[in-house]
Amino acid sequence: MPPFQYDDGAMGGMAAGGGPSMRANWSPYDNNGGTVLAVAGEDYVVCAADTRMSTGYSILTRDYKKITQMSPKCVMASAGFMADAVTLKKTLSARCTTYDFQNGKPMGCVSFAQMLSNTLYYRRFFPYYTFNIVAGLDSEGKGAVFTYDAVGSYERTNYSCQGSGQGLIMPVLDNQLKTVSPLVLPQQSSATPLTEAEAVDLVKDCFATAGERDIYTGDSVEIWIINKDGCRKEYQELKLD
């Protein structure tokens, strides 16, 4: 086994002994796991995330909050690389504060969703390694969920899931909440056909199931419920192993 040697390109890709060089592998990113999801109803929205933060097979903390309130009727949940998530939310929070001072009112959910898309796209060549969901009430008081990729492409939908448990939870949400295509006429509401209490129960069931099979999802679930009366939080315990 040849000794390790960092190759900066000056040796033409060959080690000193004439064999192939071994490059040093380093990445500015990490994936800290976790799962976030949101479900929108006719006059409410439910956003939930687990509280485990991991790296590899190690749990860094069991009480990490992945959901941040950005305005009175809007929250943002992030999975992926938590250092990037903290930086991104700090930037967005500052812009929300500036908007509040300049306009005399908090930023709306739809406006915040567009600002997040612009912010992610601005960093597309060195992106924030976060997978985000924005949930809140729009100007008409209807539930809104916006789902994103890492470079700012987004869409409004009535439910979404991001993170390490996405492959386990999305089939359940598709089965329970899938509505007709918006291209079908006459147009039908895309709002989730569940009451607020039923949506909360569904979210709890999804996390209980994902926590059994995904080692990066666990410990507890933080659930935000937003409606015309404001925001409230609920918690549910998950498996600790």
Side-chain angles (χ1 to χ4, degrees):
M1 189 71 181
F4 174 84
Q5 182 174 1
Y6 175 73
D7 178 15
D8 62 358
M11 301 181 66
M14 302 295 287
S21 63
M22 299 177 61
R23 291 184 178 273
N25 291 319
W26 178 82
S27 172
Y29 297 119
D30 191 11
N31 189 346
N32 298 122
T35 303
V36 299
L37 73 83
V39 175
E42 193 65 43
D43 58 353
Y44 71 87
V45 67
V46 178
C47 185
D50 75 304
T51 61
R52 176 175 295 180
M53 183 170 71
S54 310
T55 182
Y57 294 108
S58 300
I59 296 176
L60 301 177
T61 178
R62 298 181 185 274
D63 189 29
Y64 182 80
K65 303 295 191 294
K66 299 182 177 74
I67 302 176
T68 303
Q69 185 172 14
M70 292 298 180
S71 72
K73 295 295 180 67
C74 179
V75 297
M76 173 181 168
S78 302
F81 185 29
M82 293 309 162
D84 275 0
V86 170
T87 303
L88 176 61
K89 289 177 179 178
K90 187 183 297 184
T91 300
L92 295 172
S93 180
R95 292 177 180 174
C96 286
T97 301
T98 301
Y99 180 95
D100 198 348
F101 286 149
Q102 292 177 343
N103 297 276
K105 62 179 181 180
M107 185 178 294
C109 180
V110 177
S111 299
F112 178 83
Q114 181 64 61
M115 183 179 70
L116 173 56
S117 175
N118 294 347
T119 304
L120 293 172
Y121 187 72
Y122 179 78
R123 282 284 301 268
R124 64 193 180 277
F125 297 116
F126 187 20
Y128 293 109
Y129 188 47
T130 60
F131 303 94
N132 306 286
I133 292 176
V134 171
L137 302 182
D138 63 15
S139 58
E140 299 177 353
K142 296 183 178 180
V145 172
F146 300 87
T147 183
Y148 296 76
D149 68 4
V151 293
S153 177
Y154 78 113
E155 65 172 337
R156 180 172 177 173
T157 181
N158 60 326
Y159 63 91
S160 182
C161 180
Q162 297 273 21
S164 58
Q166 181 184 41
L168 297 169
I169 292 178
M170 278 304 291
V172 178
L173 297 179
D174 286 336
N175 178 266
Q176 297 293 314
L177 305 177
K178 190 69 173 178
T179 57
V180 298
S181 169
L183 301 178
V184 174
L185 297 176
Q187 189 171 4
Q188 301 182 31
S189 173
S190 63
T192 303
L194 300 179
T195 66
E196 181 181 302
E198 290 172 337
V200 172
D201 288 341
L202 176 62
V203 167
K204 291 180 178 178
D205 289 342
C206 287
F207 272 98
T209 301
E212 294 285 342
R213 294 168 175 82
D214 176 25
I215 64 172
Y216 301 111
T217 300
D219 298 315
S220 64
V221 183
E222 181 185 27
I223 304 171
W224 285 68
I225 301 101
I226 306 175
N227 53 33
K228 59 182 176 58
D229 298 322
C231 300
R232 75 176 194 273
K233 288 191 284 186
E234 294 184 10
Y235 293 90
Q236 173 178 273
E237 297 300 317
L238 297 177
K239 290 182 66 177
L240 298 178
D241 58 357

